[in-house]
Amino acid sequence: MKLDQIDIKILYELQKNGRITNVELAELVNLSPSPCLMRVKKLQQEGYITGYSARINIGKLGQTLTVFTEVTLKNHRQVDFARFLAAIEKLDQVIECHLVSGGYDYLVKFVTSGIIEYQTLMERLIDLDIGIDKYFSFVVLKSPIVKPHMPLTSLFPVTATS
Protein backbone atom coordinates (compact mmCIF):
# COMPACT_ATOMS: atom_id res chain seq x y z
CA MET A 1 0.00 0.00 0.00
CA LYS A 2 1.42 3.37 -1.02
CA LEU A 3 0.52 6.13 1.43
CA ASP A 4 -0.44 9.59 0.29
CA GLN A 5 -0.58 12.89 2.18
CA ILE A 6 -4.12 12.22 3.41
CA ASP A 7 -3.13 8.82 4.84
CA ILE A 8 -0.22 10.43 6.71
CA LYS A 9 -2.56 13.13 8.06
CA ILE A 10 -5.04 10.46 9.19
CA LEU A 11 -2.28 8.60 11.05
CA TYR A 12 -0.99 11.85 12.54
CA GLU A 13 -4.42 12.83 13.86
CA LEU A 14 -5.28 9.34 15.15
CA GLN A 15 -2.05 9.06 17.12
CA LYS A 16 -2.88 12.37 18.81
CA ASN A 17 -6.48 11.36 19.55
CA GLY A 18 -7.47 7.74 18.99
CA ARG A 19 -11.00 8.48 20.22
CA ILE A 20 -11.74 11.11 17.59
CA THR A 21 -14.98 10.47 15.74
CA ASN A 22 -14.81 9.59 12.08
CA VAL A 23 -16.75 12.77 11.24
CA GLU A 24 -14.23 14.94 13.13
CA LEU A 25 -11.29 13.09 11.56
CA ALA A 26 -12.77 13.44 8.08
CA GLU A 27 -13.11 17.18 8.61
CA LEU A 28 -9.49 17.51 9.75
CA VAL A 29 -8.16 15.68 6.69
CA ASN A 30 -10.62 17.27 4.23
CA LEU A 31 -12.52 14.13 3.27
CA SER A 32 -16.13 13.13 3.56
CA PRO A 33 -16.79 10.60 6.36
CA SER A 34 -17.27 7.48 4.18
CA PRO A 35 -13.93 7.65 2.29
CA CYS A 36 -12.20 8.62 5.53
CA LEU A 37 -13.53 5.51 7.29
CA MET A 38 -12.51 3.34 4.34
CA ARG A 39 -8.96 4.71 4.57
CA VAL A 40 -8.79 4.12 8.33
CA LYS A 41 -9.94 0.52 7.88
CA LYS A 42 -7.37 0.00 5.11
CA LEU A 43 -4.61 1.46 7.33
CA GLN A 44 -5.65 -0.99 10.06
CA GLN A 45 -5.72 -3.96 7.67
CA GLU A 46 -2.29 -3.09 6.29
CA GLY A 47 -0.78 -2.87 9.79
CA TYR A 48 -0.09 0.87 9.88
CA ILE A 49 -2.45 1.15 12.84
CA THR A 50 -1.64 -1.58 15.35
CA GLY A 51 -4.04 -0.63 18.16
CA TYR A 52 -5.57 2.04 20.34
CA SER A 53 -4.87 2.74 24.00
CA ALA A 54 -5.47 5.21 26.80
CA ARG A 55 -2.74 7.51 28.14
CA ILE A 56 -2.74 7.26 31.92
CA ASN A 57 -1.78 10.12 34.23
CA ILE A 58 0.53 8.00 36.39
CA GLY A 59 1.10 10.91 38.78
CA LYS A 60 -2.53 10.72 39.89
CA LEU A 61 -2.03 7.08 40.91
CA GLY A 62 0.97 7.73 43.13
CA GLN A 63 4.66 8.44 43.19
CA THR A 64 6.97 6.72 40.72
CA LEU A 65 10.62 6.82 39.77
CA THR A 66 11.82 6.91 36.18
CA VAL A 67 15.41 5.87 35.52
CA PHE A 68 17.35 5.74 32.27
CA THR A 69 20.07 3.13 32.52
CA GLU A 70 23.08 2.74 30.24
CA VAL A 71 24.02 -0.94 30.10
CA THR A 72 27.29 -2.32 28.76
CA LEU A 73 27.57 -6.06 28.16
CA LYS A 74 30.71 -8.10 28.84
CA ASN A 75 30.62 -9.77 25.43
CA HIS A 76 29.07 -8.79 22.15
CA ARG A 77 28.08 -12.03 20.46
CA GLN A 78 24.52 -12.50 19.25
CA VAL A 79 23.87 -14.97 22.06
CA ASP A 80 24.90 -12.33 24.64
CA PHE A 81 22.45 -9.77 23.27
CA ALA A 82 19.69 -12.40 23.13
CA ARG A 83 20.31 -13.53 26.74
CA PHE A 84 20.18 -9.93 28.00
CA LEU A 85 16.99 -9.12 26.08
CA ALA A 86 15.27 -12.35 27.15
CA ALA A 87 15.81 -11.40 30.79
CA ILE A 88 14.78 -7.76 30.72
CA GLU A 89 11.76 -8.16 28.45
CA LYS A 90 10.13 -10.13 31.28
CA LEU A 91 10.25 -7.10 33.59
CA ASP A 92 7.11 -4.95 33.61
CA GLN A 93 9.21 -2.07 34.93
CA VAL A 94 11.18 -1.93 31.66
CA ILE A 95 9.24 0.51 29.51
CA GLU A 96 11.76 0.90 26.67
CA CYS A 97 15.01 -0.73 25.63
CA HIS A 98 17.19 0.58 22.81
CA LEU A 99 20.33 -0.93 21.29
CA VAL A 100 22.50 2.14 20.69
CA SER A 101 25.82 3.13 19.20
CA GLY A 102 28.48 4.78 21.32
CA GLY A 103 30.07 3.99 24.64
CA TYR A 104 27.50 1.49 25.89
CA ASP A 105 25.18 -1.11 24.39
CA TYR A 106 21.64 -0.50 25.65
CA LEU A 107 19.66 2.44 26.93
CA VAL A 108 16.87 1.11 29.13
CA LYS A 109 13.99 3.09 30.59
CA PHE A 110 12.66 1.80 33.91
CA VAL A 111 9.60 3.04 35.79
CA THR A 112 9.47 1.77 39.36
CA SER A 113 7.75 2.61 42.64
CA GLY A 114 11.00 4.05 43.99
CA ILE A 115 14.77 3.81 44.25
CA ILE A 116 14.65 0.66 46.41
CA GLU A 117 12.64 -1.25 43.80
CA TYR A 118 14.96 -0.04 41.03
CA GLN A 119 18.09 -1.06 42.93
CA THR A 120 16.58 -4.45 43.79
CA LEU A 121 15.81 -5.03 40.09
CA MET A 122 19.35 -4.12 39.06
CA GLU A 123 20.88 -6.35 41.74
CA ARG A 124 18.67 -9.22 40.56
CA LEU A 125 19.72 -8.66 36.93
CA ILE A 126 23.40 -8.73 37.97
CA ASP A 127 22.80 -11.91 40.01
CA LEU A 128 21.16 -13.58 36.99
CA ASP A 129 24.51 -13.38 35.21
CA ILE A 130 22.97 -12.23 31.93
CA GLY A 131 26.19 -10.62 30.74
CA ILE A 132 26.03 -7.13 32.25
CA ASP A 133 29.54 -5.69 32.60
CA LYS A 134 28.52 -2.31 34.00
CA TYR A 135 25.59 0.06 34.17
CA PHE A 136 25.04 3.72 34.87
CA SER A 137 21.76 5.05 36.22
CA PHE A 138 20.22 8.44 35.48
CA VAL A 139 17.25 9.30 37.70
CA VAL A 140 14.70 11.58 36.04
CA LEU A 141 13.98 14.62 38.18
CA LYS A 142 11.45 16.21 35.85
CA SER A 143 10.15 15.64 32.31
CA PRO A 144 9.26 19.07 30.94
CA ILE A 145 8.63 17.73 27.43
CA VAL A 146 7.00 14.39 26.68
CA LYS A 147 5.19 14.02 23.38
CA PRO A 148 3.07 10.92 22.91
CA HIS A 149 2.99 11.30 19.14
CA MET A 150 5.51 11.23 16.32
CA PRO A 151 5.89 14.18 13.90
CA LEU A 152 4.63 12.09 10.99
CA THR A 153 3.85 14.99 8.67
CA SER A 154 7.44 16.26 8.85
CA LEU A 155 9.08 12.80 8.96
CA PHE A 156 7.20 11.57 5.91
CA PRO A 157 6.29 14.56 3.74
CA VAL A 158 4.36 13.42 0.74
CA THR A 159 4.47 15.66 -2.27
CA ALA A 160 1.52 15.87 -4.61
CA THR A 161 1.95 14.02 -7.88
CA SER A 162 0.38 15.24 -11.08
Side-chain angles (χ1 to χ4, degrees):
M1 176 179 177
K2 180 108 170 98
L3 300 185
D4 63 14
Q5 194 169 9
I6 294 171
D7 294 321
I8 299 292
K9 282 182 80 175
I10 288 170
L11 293 172
Y12 180 73
E13 294 300 335
L14 282 175
Q15 72 173 350
K16 290 194 320 183
N17 180 4
R19 294 186 59 161
I20 192 170
T21 67
N22 183 57
V23 172
E24 292 168 323
L25 179 61
E27 190 174 301
L28 285 172
V29 300
N30 297 319
L31 284 177
S32 58
S34 183
C36 182
L37 184 59
M38 287 173 40
R39 283 179 180 249
V40 170
K41 288 183 177 189
K42 183 78 168 162
L43 290 165
Q44 290 170 340
Q45 290 168 352
E46 295 292 325
Y48 289 97
I49 298 171
T50 58
Y52 297 89
S53 63
R55 290 192 298 269
I56 307 299
N57 181 348
I58 196 79
K60 285 202 150 296
L61 295 173
Q63 196 166 359
T64 62
L65 178 76
T66 301
V67 182
F68 287 95
T69 306
E70 296 175 352
V71 177
T72 303
L73 300 181
K74 293 175 188 167
N75 297 300
H76 295 94
R77 298 168 304 191
Q78 192 60 38
V79 67
D80 300 308
F81 291 109
R83 182 175 56 235
F84 173 78
L85 287 174
I88 67 160
E89 73 182 354
K90 295 175 185 167
L91 300 176
D92 283 341
Q93 297 87 343
V94 173
I95 304 305
E96 296 176 14
C97 178
H98 306 273
L99 179 63
V100 296
S101 62
Y104 54 96
D105 298 312
Y106 287 98
L107 180 63
V108 183
K109 180 180 180 181
F110 290 86
V111 177
T112 66
S113 60
I115 196 71
I116 292 171
E117 182 186 13
Y118 170 74
Q119 192 58 42
T120 301
L121 281 171
M122 292 310 298
E123 288 169 359
R124 192 170 41 159
L125 288 173
I126 298 296
D127 288 345
L128 285 174
D129 197 26
I130 57 170
I132 296 175
D133 182 33
K134 59 186 173 184
Y135 70 93
F136 295 97
S137 305
F138 300 90
V139 173
V140 174
L141 302 176
K142 190 177 190 179
S143 298
I145 300 172
V146 176
K147 295 180 181 178
H149 62 276
M150 295 288 160
L152 297 181
T153 53
S154 60
L155 286 173
F156 306 103
V158 180
T159 55
T161 56
S162 31

